[in-house]
């Protein structure tokens, strides 16, 4: 239960309500908002540390800017719970990240205050620049603000956008503000006070006017102008790390304390009233205001349900939990590294999520966290492979999309032996459509030299990784979030037989009606086996999307009247399409039904429910097959 009432927060139904509050009331609102946020997330689960750190910044932005007329674009968007609460969605917080409920990320179809949908990183500056220039072209006066974290700032796309923003369009610079939310550094009290003073000075009109007047005078003496420009940059650089942003054409201000409304509000007001590209550097603390999260922000990054008075408690189940696919990968990575000193591992800023903590501890010199830079990660792996090393890139399925050209041009085209461990393949659940691993089968299997394996369970996942590692060309191994059926995982490094599937259930010859064979790719083998029992169907564990086991496929096709493919990926261009292509190439016309994710973005919700809604649980598979078998029987 909440530890306090919310007399101010309960009156805030829209940002305009905030603008009537005094500075003292704004500080009280921050206290109430942080408490409400903590207790809401503790009951639903979700992102916590990042949201506790943006409470004051969110209040200040909505207080200073005329939202939604002025556009706020939140990078990644997992830190927008305070924004959602203040923009009329406070009462929807109990439905956060649940099926039919409120998204954990900004969505244009959810609120007019969510001006741009985000969830992947480093897109905000590009979008805000487009909005700023769009307003300029339409003759409209409004501000566009991008709020981006220090992690997202490492990606090349952010710098590409800043480089573009610093160039005049039609002789005019875009009116936009970039707010760097830096939660990876600290400010001691004296430096914080100094920077508050500097921020007000550098963001104010007097400084700007004096600066431009001096430039105009010195322009007539180019050597003096260049000297003065360099002196200004270096003088500012002694107290602020802003020179690089100035080089992009932005006026840099900061760093300032992102939890100090007395500093944030006047600085934002000054920047709001200035034209051209502005850059504000604010420093926040993840988990701010909740001591347990401040001490351990990683554990509180995305917790499940917990008691705020107690904190996260490690459960002690009666029976040992089944290992997750991520844990299977992490253990395989360490074991293979011990076996082969050529192995190196790469992650684009997902050490914990990809199960690489132990590897990092054991093999620090062979571990590379390249930051939120998927394009670089893929090409970097290619470079390592050129030098005789064996790179393993641990990357979520949805994030490999960001490195697609590099996958084709820098790895596959050169046939370099890189293993891609694709975590979160298929439905991921609460993170929703932006994080679904729905497209990797389709976009990987069309690339020459690439192979793809879809293991059915934990044991096959380890064997698939070993099989991929043994190849001299690039291979993707896709596996879902969470645990599988609990198949015991072998301790050796024996690979799967390359390119070979297996029949896991054989239909009886005496069955009446059309004989059905289900070809399962990945973990949907197990619901297919359940449906196979009810239907007395043959069930094949295909394992390999590419190379497809065409010998096994054609053998099964000859002996059955209906083939059904089952995959946790998009139907268009997926594994079922590969089967259809192989049958067509062989001149086989056995009827084929393809089951997979529909041609739509699958929303957030509990994974089992989502699979059921897509007809990919045992009951849904059985119903689809019965309907098609009946249709064939009536023909």
């Amino acid at each position: 239960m909440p530890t306090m009432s919310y007399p101010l927060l309960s009156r805030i139904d829209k940002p305009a309500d905030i603008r009537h509050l005094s500075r003292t009331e704004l500080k009280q609102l921050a206290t109430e908002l942080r408490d409400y946020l903590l207790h809401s997330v503790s009951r639903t689960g979700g992102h916590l540390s990042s949201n506790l750190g943006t409470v004051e910044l969110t209040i200040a932005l909505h207080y200073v800017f005329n939202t939604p007329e002025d556009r706020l674009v939140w990078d990644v968007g997992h830190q927008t719970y305070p924004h959602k609460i203040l923009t009329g969605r406070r009462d929807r917080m109990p439905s956060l990240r649940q099926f039919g409920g409120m998204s954990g990320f900004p969505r244009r179809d959810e609120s007019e205050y969510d001006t741009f949908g985000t969830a992947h990183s480093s897109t905000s500056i590009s979008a805000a620049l487009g909005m700023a220039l769009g307003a300029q072209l339409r003759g409209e006066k409004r501000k566009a603000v991008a709020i981006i974290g220090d992690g997202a700032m490492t990606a090349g796309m952010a710098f590409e956008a800043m480089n573009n923003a610093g160039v005049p369009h039609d002789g005019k610079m875009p009116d936009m503000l970039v707010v760097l939310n830096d939660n990876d550094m600290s400010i001691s009290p004296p430096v914080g006070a100094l920077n508050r003073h500097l921020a007000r000075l550098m963001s104010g009109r007097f400084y700007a006017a004096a600066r431009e007047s001096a430039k105009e005078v010195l322009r007539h003496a180019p050597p003096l102008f260049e000297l003065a420009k360099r002196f200004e940059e270096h003088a500012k650089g002694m107290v602020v790390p802003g020179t690089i942003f100035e080089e992009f054409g932005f006026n840099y201000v900061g760093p300032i304390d992102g939890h100090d409304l007395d500093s944030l509000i006047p600085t934002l007001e000054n920047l709001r009233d200035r034209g051209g590209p502005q850059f504000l550097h604010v420093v926040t603390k993840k988990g701010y205001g909740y001591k347990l999260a401040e001490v351990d922000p990683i554990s509180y990054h995305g917790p499940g349900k917990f008691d705020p008075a107690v904190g996260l408690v490690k459960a002690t189940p009666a029976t040992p939990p089944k290992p997750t696919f991520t844990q299977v990968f992490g253990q395989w990575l360490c074991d293979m590294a011990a076996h082969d000193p050529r192995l190196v591992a790469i992650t684009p800023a997902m050490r914990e999520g990809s199960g690489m903590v132990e590897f990092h501890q054991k093999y620090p010199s062979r571990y590379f966290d390249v930051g939120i830079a998927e394009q670089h990660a893929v090409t970097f792996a290619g470079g390592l492979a050129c030098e005789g090393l064996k790179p393993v890139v641990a990357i979520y399925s949805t994030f490999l999309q960001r490195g697609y050209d590099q996958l084709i041009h820098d790895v596959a085209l050169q046939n370099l032996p890189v293993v891609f461990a694709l975590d979160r393949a298929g439905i991921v659940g609460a993170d929703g459509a932006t994080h679904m691993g729905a497209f990797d089968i389709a976009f990987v299997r069309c690339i020459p030299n690439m192979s793809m394996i879809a293991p059915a369970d934990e044991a096959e996942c380890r064997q698939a990784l070993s099989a991929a590692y043994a190849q001299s060309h690039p291979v993707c191994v896709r596996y879902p979030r969470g645990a599988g059926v609990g198949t015991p995982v072998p301790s050796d490094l024996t690979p799967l037989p390359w390119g070979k599937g297996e029949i896991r259930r054989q239909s009886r010859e005496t069955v009446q009606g059309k004989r059905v064979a289900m070809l399962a790719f990945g973990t949907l083998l197990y619901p297919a086996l359940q449906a196979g029992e009810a239907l007395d169907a043959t069930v094949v564990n295909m394992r390999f999307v590419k190379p497809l086991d065409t010998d096994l496929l054609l053998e099964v096709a000859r002996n059955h009247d209906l083939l059904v493919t089952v995959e946790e990926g998009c139907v268009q261009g997926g594994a079922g399409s590969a089967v259809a292509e192989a049958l067509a190439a062989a001149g086989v016309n056995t009827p084929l039904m393809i089951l997979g994710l529909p041609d739509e973005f699958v929303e957030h919700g509990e994974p089992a429910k989502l699979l059921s809604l897509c007809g990919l649980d045992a009951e849904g598979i059985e119903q689809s097959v019965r309907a098609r078998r009946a249709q064939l029987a009536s023909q």
Side-chain angles (χ1 to χ4, degrees):
M1 293 295 293
T3 57
M4 62 185 296
S5 60
Y6 307 107
L8 274 178
L9 182 61
S10 62
R11 291 162 33 200
I12 305 300
D13 296 318
K14 56 187 180 301
D17 299 332
I18 299 172
R19 297 168 199 141
H20 302 299
L21 301 180
S22 67
R23 194 69 59 85
T24 300
E25 289 174 316
L26 289 175
K27 294 174 183 177
Q28 177 60 28
L29 176 63
T31 301
E32 294 182 21
L33 177 56
R34 181 167 280 111
D35 187 82
Y36 183 83
L37 171 67
L38 171 62
H39 286 85
S40 293
V41 175
S42 72
R43 289 192 289 270
T44 61
H47 293 101
L48 183 60
S49 294
S50 56
N51 282 287
L52 291 172
T54 57
V55 167
E56 287 83 6
L57 177 59
T58 304
I59 291 172
L61 286 167
H62 280 296
Y63 180 84
V64 170
F65 290 95
N66 183 31
T67 56
E69 180 65 19
D70 289 332
R71 314 298 201 216
L72 300 185
V73 183
W74 299 87
D75 208 284
V76 181
H78 64 302
Q79 78 285 48
T80 55
Y81 298 176
H83 161 80
K84 287 176 180 264
I85 291 169
L86 295 176
T87 54
R89 287 168 280 181
R90 181 180 65 248
D91 295 340
R92 295 193 64 195
M93 282 296 287
S95 71
L96 182 70
R97 291 163 35 104
Q98 298 167 40
F99 183 73
M102 187 167 67
S103 172
F105 299 98
R107 288 184 54 146
R108 283 171 55 83
D109 60 0
E110 190 177 280
S111 169
E112 64 178 334
Y113 294 94
D114 292 358
T115 61
F116 198 80
T118 54
H120 290 193
S121 119
S122 315
T123 63
S124 61
I125 303 176
S126 297
L129 175 59
M131 292 174 179
L133 289 178
Q136 182 178 317
L137 289 168
R138 291 167 60 94
E140 297 170 350
K141 196 75 175 171
R142 70 166 68 95
K143 286 287 184 178
V145 183
I147 305 98
I148 184 169
D150 55 290
M153 200 70 209
T154 64
M157 186 176 176
F159 286 93
E160 291 170 17
M162 291 187 65
N163 188 50
N164 189 197
V167 178
H169 181 79
D170 253 1
K172 184 179 179 183
M173 299 294 281
D175 281 340
M176 67 177 297
L177 167 65
V178 174
V179 178
L180 173 60
N181 175 30
D182 185 348
N183 50 36
D184 197 36
M185 65 175 286
S186 60
I187 300 180
S188 60
V191 178
L194 172 63
N195 275 289
R196 179 191 295 186
H197 172 73
L198 285 170
R200 289 187 180 182
L201 176 68
M202 290 189 296
S203 65
R205 290 181 178 178
F206 174 78
Y207 174 83
R211 184 184 186 208
E212 293 306 313
S213 297
K215 279 184 181 179
E216 195 56 40
V217 171
L218 291 171
R219 249 181 244 284
H220 301 294
L224 289 176
F225 173 68
E226 192 59 33
L227 177 66
K229 181 181 176 185
R230 289 182 180 179
F231 177 78
E232 179 194 42
E233 289 173 348
H234 287 287
K236 287 175 70 175
M238 288 189 293
V239 287
V240 295
T243 305
I244 186 172
F245 303 112
E246 296 273 358
E247 291 291 343
F248 279 111
F250 282 75
N251 176 54
Y252 174 91
V253 174
I256 64 173
D257 186 348
H259 301 297
D260 180 5
L261 287 167
D262 290 330
S263 179
L264 280 170
I265 289 174
T267 302
L268 285 170
E269 287 174 336
N270 284 337
L271 292 173
R272 177 196 62 196
D273 297 336
R274 293 194 60 179
Q278 306 294 321
F279 192 101
L280 175 61
H281 184 173
V282 304
V283 178
T284 61
K285 186 177 183 65
K286 285 183 178 178
Y288 187 78
Y290 182 51
K291 293 300 181 186
L292 294 173
E294 289 184 25
V295 171
D296 188 7
I298 292 177
S299 295
Y300 286 89
H301 170 72
K305 299 176 183 180
F306 69 100
D307 182 351
V310 177
L312 297 176
V313 178
K314 203 162 189 176
T316 52
T319 57
K322 295 182 290 186
T324 65
F325 282 93
T326 301
Q327 289 169 335
V328 170
F329 164 73
Q331 187 60 58
W332 172 84
L333 192 66
C334 291
D335 293 346
M336 186 59 82
H339 175 74
D340 186 350
R342 297 175 301 162
L343 185 149
V344 289
I346 302 161
T347 176
M350 298 302 294
R351 186 186 72 152
E352 286 78 15
S354 293
M356 301 175 74
V357 173
E358 185 180 351
F359 180 89
H360 182 200
Q361 293 168 346
K362 286 185 174 181
Y363 304 101
S365 65
R366 295 156 68 183
Y367 167 82
F368 300 94
D369 185 342
V370 301
I372 303 174
E374 293 86 358
Q375 293 176 315
H376 164 60
V378 175
T379 303
F380 174 59
L384 289 166
C386 286
E387 297 304 315
L389 296 168
K390 294 281 286 185
V392 177
V393 179
I395 187 168
Y396 290 7
S397 167
T398 187
F399 296 145
L400 184 58
Q401 296 164 187
R402 294 163 63 94
Y404 191 55
D405 178 63
Q406 290 69 28
L407 183 66
I408 296 172
H409 182 272
D410 300 333
V411 173
L413 185 63
Q414 303 181 89
N415 204 25
L416 296 172
V418 179
V419 175
F420 294 91
L422 302 190
D423 203 331
R424 272 64 166 180
I427 285 175
V428 295
D431 281 336
T434 55
H435 284 63
M436 293 294 174
F439 311 112
D440 56 82
I441 295 178
F443 72 66
V444 167
R445 77 172 192 88
C446 64
I447 305 173
N449 294 333
M450 291 289 309
S451 293
M452 172 167 272
I453 314 175
D457 53 40
E458 303 91 330
E460 282 197 354
C461 184
R462 183 178 174 94
Q463 294 167 334
L465 289 162
S466 294
Y469 190 79
Q471 303 309 305
S472 57
H473 66 276
V475 184
C476 290
V477 179
R478 75 184 310 259
Y479 47 89
R481 182 176 188 170
V485 294
T487 304
V489 181
S491 58
D492 59 25
L493 295 169
T494 302
L496 283 176
W498 185 255
K500 295 297 179 184
E502 62 172 358
I503 294 176
R504 290 288 292 266
R505 186 188 187 281
Q506 186 71 60
S507 172
R508 294 189 300 274
E509 296 287 343
T510 57
V511 70
Q512 297 296 312
K514 300 289 185 182
R515 292 193 67 206
V516 176
M518 289 190 282
L519 313 176
F521 294 85
T523 54
L524 291 189
L525 169 69
Y526 288 93
L529 282 168
Q530 288 180 261
E533 285 296 322
L535 296 162
D536 188 29
T538 296
V539 180
V540 183
N541 177 18
M542 292 298 291
R543 292 175 173 159
F544 286 81
V545 175
K546 185 184 180 184
L548 200 63
D549 189 346
T550 52
D551 291 340
L552 179 58
L553 169 61
L554 296 177
E555 175 193 334
V556 171
R558 281 193 298 268
N559 300 319
H560 293 80
D561 305 298
L562 172 63
L563 300 178
V564 181
T565 61
V566 186
E567 62 189 296
E568 197 172 333
C570 64
V571 166
Q572 285 76 10
S577 295
V579 169
E581 292 161 12
L583 292 174
V588 175
N589 59 2
T590 305
L592 172 66
M593 177 168 65
I594 300 174
L595 299 180
L597 298 179
D599 185 22
E600 60 189 52
F601 292 107
V602 179
E603 297 297 346
H604 53 275
E606 201 275 321
K609 182 178 183 63
L610 297 176
L611 279 172
S612 175
L613 290 170
C614 293
L616 294 176
D617 59 352
E619 182 181 355
I621 294 169
E622 180 188 343
Q623 289 176 353
S624 295
V625 175
R626 286 192 186 280
R628 180 58 61 87
R629 191 161 65 177
Q631 182 186 45
L632 291 173
S634 65
Q635 291 177 356

